[in-house]
Amino acid sequence: MQLLPSPLSLLLSHDEGVSHTERGWRSGALTRLARGVYVNTDGWRLLPPWEKQLVRVHAVLAVDPRRVICGESAAALLGVLVAHPSRPVHLLTETGASREYRGVRTHSSVDAREIIVVDGIRLTSPAATAVDIARSRPPAEGLAYADALMRADPTISRASLIALNDALASGRGRRQARWALERATGRPESILESASLAVIEWLGYEAPTVQQEFFFEGHVDRGDFYWEDVDVVGESDGDFKYLGDLGDPAQTIIDEKRRENRLRRNTAGLARWGWTELHEIEPLDAALRAAGLHPVRPRDTMRLTGFRPLGRD
C-alpha cells in the first residue's frame, strides 16, 4: 500500500540550508501551514483545494511524525481526495479530550482503532477510516468515502465494514453509518459516481448496475450506470478528464464523443450529468427522465433536503 506524497515541497525552518522563512512568510513569498512548516505561496495558490488538504496533512506530520492520522485526513493519504477547503487535519489521540486548534482536530475514543504504518507514517487502516467517516459525515459522503477506501484496499468487504461498525462500543453515529456501509461496494470509480448512486436512490429510481461493459461496433465501452430493464445508460462526468490529467484533452473529448455516440446508437437512452446537476438535484432527475427512466418509489425528501454538496464544509 502506498500513500500519496505532498504535492508541494515543504520548507522547514529548522532544516539545514533553509533560512529566512519568517521573512519570506511576512513578505508573502511563503505560506505557513504549521509551526515551522512553509510552502511557496505561488505554488500553493495554484493547487486545487483537494491537493491543499493533502499538503496540510503532510505539514502536520512534519511537525511531529509520531502523530496518528485519521478520518478524512487518513483517506487523503490513501488517495481519496475530496475538496475540503477549510476542514481541519484529523489526528487520533489516546489521551485528552477531542478538540480543534489551529487547523488540527484531535479525536479520542473508547474504542481502539487498527493503526497501520506506511513509510513511517501512522494512520488508521482503510476499514477503520471508512467506518469513522461514515459515522461522522452525511450519508452520500460516507458512501463515497467507503467505496473509495474499498478500492484502495480490495481486501475490505461490505460485511467487514458493517461488522466493524457494529463491534465498536461507542454507539455514536452507528445507525447513521449503516446506510452508507450497507450500500458500499467499491465498484464506482469516482466520488461523483458514489454520490450519484445515493441521490438516484433518494429520487426513487431503481438501483442501476455499476460499470457495465458493452461490446458495440468493434469497441469495448463501459457505462458508469446501466438500467437493463429499460436499456438506459447513465454517465456521471467530472471535469478532470478534460483538463489534461488523462492525456491530450482535445483527443479525450473526441474519444469521449465517439464513445457516447456508440452508446446512443445501441441503447434506448443515455443520461449524462456532472457535479452541478447532482448538487442541484432537479437537473439530474430531468436527465434521467429524458433518457426514459421513471421512479419506482416515492422520493426520500428528507435525505434529499439534507444532501450537502461534497467538498463543502
Side-chain angles (χ1 to χ4, degrees):
M1 183 177 297
Q2 292 184 329
L3 304 184
L4 291 184
S6 173
L8 279 183
S9 297
L10 302 177
L11 301 175
L12 309 184
S13 58
H14 58 72
D15 279 356
E16 184 178 349
V18 175
S19 61
H20 306 304
T21 51
E22 186 75 12
R23 184 186 304 171
W25 172 62
R26 293 188 183 282
S27 70
L30 298 179
T31 295
R32 184 163 61 192
L33 300 182
R35 187 179 70 252
V37 184
Y38 303 81
V39 292
N40 179 274
T41 297
D42 289 339
W44 176 253
R45 288 172 177 166
L46 292 174
L47 286 183
W50 50 91
E51 291 193 349
K52 286 183 175 179
Q53 187 66 10
L54 181 59
V55 177
R56 288 191 184 101
V57 175
H58 281 282
V60 168
L61 283 169
V63 175
D64 185 354
R66 299 168 299 175
R67 289 169 161 173
V68 178
I69 307 297
C70 65
E72 299 101 304
S73 302
L77 289 173
L78 291 163
V80 188
L81 300 180
V82 179
H84 297 306
S86 60
R87 198 167 291 179
V89 175
H90 295 272
L91 303 177
L92 188 65
T93 178
E94 295 180 355
T95 59
S98 300
R99 68 189 187 101
E100 185 172 335
Y101 180 68
R102 291 189 177 180
V104 173
R105 184 171 184 180
T106 59
H107 301 265
S108 61
S109 174
V110 297
D111 292 289
R113 296 293 193 277
E114 180 184 8
I115 306 300
I116 61 175
V117 182
V118 182
D119 299 329
I121 295 175
R122 303 169 68 208
L123 67 158
T124 51
S125 69
T129 301
V131 170
D132 284 342
I133 293 174
R135 281 179 164 230
S136 61
R137 301 304 305 162
E141 188 173 332
L143 174 59
Y145 270 105
D147 276 335
L149 289 163
M150 290 175 77
R151 293 194 300 273
D153 182 357
T155 66
I156 299 175
S157 68
R158 177 192 298 172
S160 67
L161 292 179
I162 293 172
L164 178 57
N165 179 50
D166 290 343
L168 294 178
S170 172
R172 186 176 182 179
R174 178 185 293 142
R175 184 176 179 182
Q176 171 181 311
R178 284 175 182 159
W179 186 93
L181 301 181
E182 287 172 354
R183 288 159 176 77
T185 64
R187 288 186 59 81
E189 293 187 340
S190 70
I191 296 290
L192 174 57
E193 289 181 25
S194 295
S196 294
L197 283 173
V199 177
I200 287 169
E201 177 181 330
W202 298 337
L203 284 170
Y205 291 95
E206 195 78 52
T209 299
V210 178
Q211 296 302 321
Q212 175 69 43
E213 285 193 340
F214 301 95
F215 303 89
F216 296 141
E217 303 173 17
H219 295 268
V220 179
D221 297 313
R222 275 193 302 172
D224 295 337
F225 310 104
Y226 182 56
W227 288 267
E228 185 175 6
D229 290 348
V230 289
D231 193 30
V232 170
V233 177
E235 293 285 288
S236 59
D237 284 336
D239 296 329
F240 77 95
K241 68 167 67 174
Y242 307 114
L243 300 177
D245 298 58
L246 302 179
D248 177 45
Q251 188 60 49
T252 299
I253 293 172
I254 292 171
D255 292 343
E256 181 63 19
K257 187 61 178 178
R258 289 171 176 168
R259 186 183 76 92
E260 179 180 331
N261 287 338
R262 281 194 299 271
L263 292 175
R264 289 190 185 278
R265 285 193 296 267
N266 293 281
T267 61
L270 186 145
R272 182 181 290 277
W273 63 90
W275 280 111
T276 299
E277 291 80 10
L278 176 69
H279 288 160
E280 294 179 1
I281 298 175
E282 295 307 329
L284 170 58
D285 186 41
L288 297 175
R289 290 177 182 272
L293 290 169
H294 299 283
V296 295
R297 58 182 172 272
R299 288 186 172 199
D300 189 333
T301 305
M302 183 177 70
R303 291 197 186 277
L304 285 173
T305 301
F307 176 60
R308 295 177 58 188
L310 273 70
R312 303 283 179 84
D313 291 315

